[in-house]
PDB file of all heavy atoms in Angstrom:
ATOM      1  N   TRP A 291     -44.398  20.337  25.476  1.00  0.00           N
ATOM      2  CA  TRP A 291     -45.235  19.119  25.673  1.00  0.00           C
ATOM      3  C   TRP A 291     -45.725  19.059  27.123  1.00  0.00           C
ATOM      4  O   TRP A 291     -45.143  18.668  27.970  1.00  0.00           O
ATOM      5  CB  TRP A 291     -44.414  17.794  25.383  1.00  0.00           C
ATOM      6  CG  TRP A 291     -45.166  16.471  25.497  1.00  0.00           C
ATOM      7  CD1 TRP A 291     -46.406  16.384  25.575  1.00  0.00           C
ATOM      8  CD2 TRP A 291     -44.628  15.241  25.639  1.00  0.00           C
ATOM      9  NE1 TRP A 291     -46.844  15.095  25.736  1.00  0.00           N
ATOM     10  CE2 TRP A 291     -45.726  14.347  25.781  1.00  0.00           C
ATOM     11  CE3 TRP A 291     -43.388  14.700  25.653  1.00  0.00           C
ATOM     12  CZ2 TRP A 291     -45.505  12.927  25.895  1.00  0.00           C
ATOM     13  CZ3 TRP A 291     -43.148  13.325  25.789  1.00  0.00           C
ATOM     14  CH2 TRP A 291     -44.159  12.507  25.894  1.00  0.00           C
ATOM     15  N   ASP A 319     -49.238  20.398  21.838  1.00  0.00           N
ATOM     16  CA  ASP A 319     -48.816  18.991  21.653  1.00  0.00           C
ATOM     17  C   ASP A 319     -49.979  18.036  22.029  1.00  0.00           C
ATOM     18  O   ASP A 319     -51.026  18.614  22.217  1.00  0.00           O
ATOM     19  CB  ASP A 319     -47.578  18.804  22.653  1.00  0.00           C
ATOM     20  CG  ASP A 319     -46.683  17.623  22.203  1.00  0.00           C
ATOM     21  OD1 ASP A 319     -47.287  16.609  21.620  1.00  0.00           O
ATOM     22  OD2 ASP A 319     -45.504  17.737  22.470  1.00  0.00           O
ATOM     23  N   ILE A 320     -49.709  16.857  21.900  1.00  0.00           N
ATOM     24  CA  ILE A 320     -50.922  15.894  22.026  1.00  0.00           C
ATOM     25  C   ILE A 320     -51.967  16.000  22.993  1.00  0.00           C
ATOM     26  O   ILE A 320     -53.123  15.518  22.742  1.00  0.00           O
ATOM     27  CB  ILE A 320     -50.321  14.407  22.245  1.00  0.00           C
ATOM     28  CG1 ILE A 320     -49.206  14.410  23.226  1.00  0.00           C
ATOM     29  CG2 ILE A 320     -49.785  13.799  20.873  1.00  0.00           C
ATOM     30  CD1 ILE A 320     -48.721  12.996  23.503  1.00  0.00           C
ATOM     31  N   MET A 356     -50.343  19.429  16.833  1.00  0.00           N
ATOM     32  CA  MET A 356     -49.800  18.075  16.531  1.00  0.00           C
ATOM     33  C   MET A 356     -50.889  17.070  15.916  1.00  0.00           C
ATOM     34  O   MET A 356     -51.909  17.106  16.460  1.00  0.00           O
ATOM     35  CB  MET A 356     -49.220  17.514  17.702  1.00  0.00           C
ATOM     36  CG  MET A 356     -48.830  16.063  17.471  1.00  0.00           C
ATOM     37  SD  MET A 356     -47.677  15.421  18.688  1.00  0.00           S
ATOM     38  CE  MET A 356     -46.206  16.368  18.273  1.00  0.00           C
ATOM     39  N   TRP A 393     -50.090   6.600  21.619  1.00  0.00           N
ATOM     40  CA  TRP A 393     -50.667   7.510  22.704  1.00  0.00           C
ATOM     41  C   TRP A 393     -52.176   7.146  22.935  1.00  0.00           C
ATOM     42  O   TRP A 393     -52.685   7.095  23.987  1.00  0.00           O
ATOM     43  CB  TRP A 393     -50.428   8.966  22.319  1.00  0.00           C
ATOM     44  CG  TRP A 393     -49.095   9.233  22.599  1.00  0.00           C
ATOM     45  CD1 TRP A 393     -48.123   9.348  21.712  1.00  0.00           C
ATOM     46  CD2 TRP A 393     -48.316   9.344  23.884  1.00  0.00           C
ATOM     47  NE1 TRP A 393     -46.720   9.692  22.219  1.00  0.00           N
ATOM     48  CE2 TRP A 393     -46.950   9.529  23.562  1.00  0.00           C
ATOM     49  CE3 TRP A 393     -48.682   9.094  25.221  1.00  0.00           C
ATOM     50  CZ2 TRP A 393     -46.004   9.673  24.520  1.00  0.00           C
ATOM     51  CZ3 TRP A 393     -47.680   9.273  26.197  1.00  0.00           C
ATOM     52  CH2 TRP A 393     -46.420   9.453  25.900  1.00  0.00           C
ATOM     53  N   TRP A 427     -48.123  19.843  12.777  1.00  0.00           N
ATOM     54  CA  TRP A 427     -46.923  19.284  13.219  1.00  0.00           C
ATOM     55  C   TRP A 427     -47.130  17.853  13.266  1.00  0.00           C
ATOM     56  O   TRP A 427     -48.074  17.280  14.008  1.00  0.00           O
ATOM     57  CB  TRP A 427     -46.667  19.788  14.718  1.00  0.00           C
ATOM     58  CG  TRP A 427     -45.576  19.240  15.396  1.00  0.00           C
ATOM     59  CD1 TRP A 427     -44.459  18.618  15.036  1.00  0.00           C
ATOM     60  CD2 TRP A 427     -45.455  19.393  16.877  1.00  0.00           C
ATOM     61  NE1 TRP A 427     -43.545  18.459  16.107  1.00  0.00           N
ATOM     62  CE2 TRP A 427     -44.236  18.767  17.258  1.00  0.00           C
ATOM     63  CE3 TRP A 427     -46.321  19.971  17.868  1.00  0.00           C
ATOM     64  CZ2 TRP A 427     -43.934  18.594  18.477  1.00  0.00           C
ATOM     65  CZ3 TRP A 427     -45.754  19.835  19.202  1.00  0.00           C
ATOM     66  CH2 TRP A 427     -44.680  19.273  19.486  1.00  0.00           C
ATOM     67  N   ASP A 429     -45.949  14.138  13.952  1.00  0.00           N
ATOM     68  CA  ASP A 429     -45.048  13.374  14.790  1.00  0.00           C
ATOM     69  C   ASP A 429     -45.093  11.852  14.579  1.00  0.00           C
ATOM     70  O   ASP A 429     -46.209  11.423  13.902  1.00  0.00           O
ATOM     71  CB  ASP A 429     -45.208  13.887  16.084  1.00  0.00           C
ATOM     72  CG  ASP A 429     -44.203  13.403  17.188  1.00  0.00           C
ATOM     73  OD1 ASP A 429     -43.109  12.956  16.780  1.00  0.00           O
ATOM     74  OD2 ASP A 429     -44.624  13.222  18.386  1.00  0.00           O
ATOM     75  N   MET A 430     -44.253  11.115  15.175  1.00  0.00           N
ATOM     76  CA  MET A 430     -44.402   9.549  15.266  1.00  0.00           C
ATOM     77  C   MET A 430     -44.733   8.986  13.844  1.00  0.00           C
ATOM     78  O   MET A 430     -45.209   7.758  13.929  1.00  0.00           O
ATOM     79  CB  MET A 430     -45.629   9.294  16.202  1.00  0.00           C
ATOM     80  CG  MET A 430     -45.625   9.959  17.559  1.00  0.00           C
ATOM     81  SD  MET A 430     -44.403   9.175  18.696  1.00  0.00           S
ATOM     82  CE  MET A 430     -45.300   7.666  19.245  1.00  0.00           C
ATOM     83  N   ARG A 489     -41.343  14.841  11.586  1.00  0.00           N
ATOM     84  CA  ARG A 489     -40.138  14.217  12.153  1.00  0.00           C
ATOM     85  C   ARG A 489     -39.447  13.209  11.332  1.00  0.00           C
ATOM     86  O   ARG A 489     -38.257  13.198  11.059  1.00  0.00           O
ATOM     87  CB  ARG A 489     -40.505  13.658  13.457  1.00  0.00           C
ATOM     88  CG  ARG A 489     -39.340  13.297  14.422  1.00  0.00           C
ATOM     89  CD  ARG A 489     -39.805  12.865  15.783  1.00  0.00           C
ATOM     90  NE  ARG A 489     -40.346  11.610  15.790  1.00  0.00           N
ATOM     91  CZ  ARG A 489     -40.757  10.938  16.872  1.00  0.00           C
ATOM     92  NH1 ARG A 489     -40.537  11.540  18.100  1.00  0.00           N
ATOM     93  NH2 ARG A 489     -41.365   9.721  16.754  1.00  0.00           N
ATOM     94  N   TRP A 502     -37.756  18.904  12.006  1.00  0.00           N
ATOM     95  CA  TRP A 502     -36.964  19.053  13.170  1.00  0.00           C
ATOM     96  C   TRP A 502     -36.205  17.706  13.508  1.00  0.00           C
ATOM     97  O   TRP A 502     -36.464  16.651  13.055  1.00  0.00           O
ATOM     98  CB  TRP A 502     -37.735  19.540  14.295  1.00  0.00           C
ATOM     99  CG  TRP A 502     -38.284  18.773  15.326  1.00  0.00           C
ATOM    100  CD1 TRP A 502     -37.895  18.398  16.568  1.00  0.00           C
ATOM    101  CD2 TRP A 502     -39.532  17.770  15.186  1.00  0.00           C
ATOM    102  NE1 TRP A 502     -38.687  17.562  17.229  1.00  0.00           N
ATOM    103  CE2 TRP A 502     -39.668  17.214  16.459  1.00  0.00           C
ATOM    104  CE3 TRP A 502     -40.377  17.635  14.093  1.00  0.00           C
ATOM    105  CZ2 TRP A 502     -40.660  16.343  16.469  1.00  0.00           C
ATOM    106  CZ3 TRP A 502     -41.480  16.806  14.273  1.00  0.00           C
ATOM    107  CH2 TRP A 502     -41.528  16.144  15.543  1.00  0.00           C
ATOM    108  N   ASP A 505     -36.112  14.045  19.294  1.00  0.00           N
ATOM    109  CA  ASP A 505     -36.007  14.128  20.709  1.00  0.00           C
ATOM    110  C   ASP A 505     -34.437  14.186  21.194  1.00  0.00           C
ATOM    111  O   ASP A 505     -33.900  13.116  21.652  1.00  0.00           O
ATOM    112  CB  ASP A 505     -36.605  12.940  21.399  1.00  0.00           C
ATOM    113  CG  ASP A 505     -38.178  12.969  21.129  1.00  0.00           C
ATOM    114  OD1 ASP A 505     -38.668  14.044  20.857  1.00  0.00           O
ATOM    115  OD2 ASP A 505     -38.699  11.995  21.291  1.00  0.00           O
ATOM    116  N   PHE A 538     -34.811  18.655  24.294  1.00  0.00           N
ATOM    117  CA  PHE A 538     -36.051  18.044  24.473  1.00  0.00           C
ATOM    118  C   PHE A 538     -36.213  17.537  25.906  1.00  0.00           C
ATOM    119  O   PHE A 538     -36.802  17.850  26.804  1.00  0.00           O
ATOM    120  CB  PHE A 538     -36.440  17.079  23.475  1.00  0.00           C
ATOM    121  CG  PHE A 538     -37.693  16.364  23.733  1.00  0.00           C
ATOM    122  CD1 PHE A 538     -38.852  17.143  23.408  1.00  0.00           C
ATOM    123  CD2 PHE A 538     -37.889  15.077  24.040  1.00  0.00           C
ATOM    124  CE1 PHE A 538     -40.148  16.508  23.685  1.00  0.00           C
ATOM    125  CE2 PHE A 538     -39.031  14.401  24.186  1.00  0.00           C
ATOM    126  CZ  PHE A 538     -40.229  15.197  23.955  1.00  0.00           C
ATOM    127  N   HIS A 563     -38.586  23.818  22.374  1.00  0.00           N
ATOM    128  CA  HIS A 563     -39.536  22.741  22.698  1.00  0.00           C
ATOM    129  C   HIS A 563     -38.936  21.977  23.750  1.00  0.00           C
ATOM    130  O   HIS A 563     -37.673  21.849  23.945  1.00  0.00           O
ATOM    131  CB  HIS A 563     -39.660  21.853  21.494  1.00  0.00           C
ATOM    132  CG  HIS A 563     -40.767  20.755  21.634  1.00  0.00           C
ATOM    133  ND1 HIS A 563     -41.917  20.800  22.409  1.00  0.00           N
ATOM    134  CD2 HIS A 563     -40.692  19.390  21.282  1.00  0.00           C
ATOM    135  CE1 HIS A 563     -42.488  19.656  22.509  1.00  0.00           C
ATOM    136  NE2 HIS A 563     -41.766  18.896  21.852  1.00  0.00           N
TER     137      HIS A 563
HETATM  138  O1  MIG B   1     -43.759   9.721  22.287  1.00  0.00           O
HETATM  139  O2  MIG B   1     -46.125  14.326  21.414  1.00  0.00           O
HETATM  140  O3  MIG B   1     -40.585  14.074  19.194  1.00  0.00           O
HETATM  141  O4  MIG B   1     -41.489  16.485  20.158  1.00  0.00           O
HETATM  142  O5  MIG B   1     -43.349  16.437  22.236  1.00  0.00           O
HETATM  143  C1  MIG B   1     -43.421  10.938  22.246  1.00  0.00           C
HETATM  144  C2  MIG B   1     -45.135  14.170  22.394  1.00  0.00           C
HETATM  145  C3  MIG B   1     -44.215  11.783  21.209  1.00  0.00           C
HETATM  146  C4  MIG B   1     -42.276  12.963  20.348  1.00  0.00           C
HETATM  147  C5  MIG B   1     -41.957  14.167  19.718  1.00  0.00           C
HETATM  148  C6  MIG B   1     -41.856  15.288  20.631  1.00  0.00           C
HETATM  149  C7  MIG B   1     -43.331  15.464  21.236  1.00  0.00           C
HETATM  150  C8  MIG B   1     -43.704  14.082  21.913  1.00  0.00           C
HETATM  151  N1  MIG B   1     -43.741  12.995  20.849  1.00  0.00           N
END
Side-chain angles (χ1 to χ4, degrees):
W291 179 14
D319 204 325
I320 43 176
M356 166 163 293
W393 290 103
W427 175 21
D429 185 24
M430 303 289 277
R489 195 171 69 175
W502 92 106
D505 299 340
F538 179 70
H563 181 43

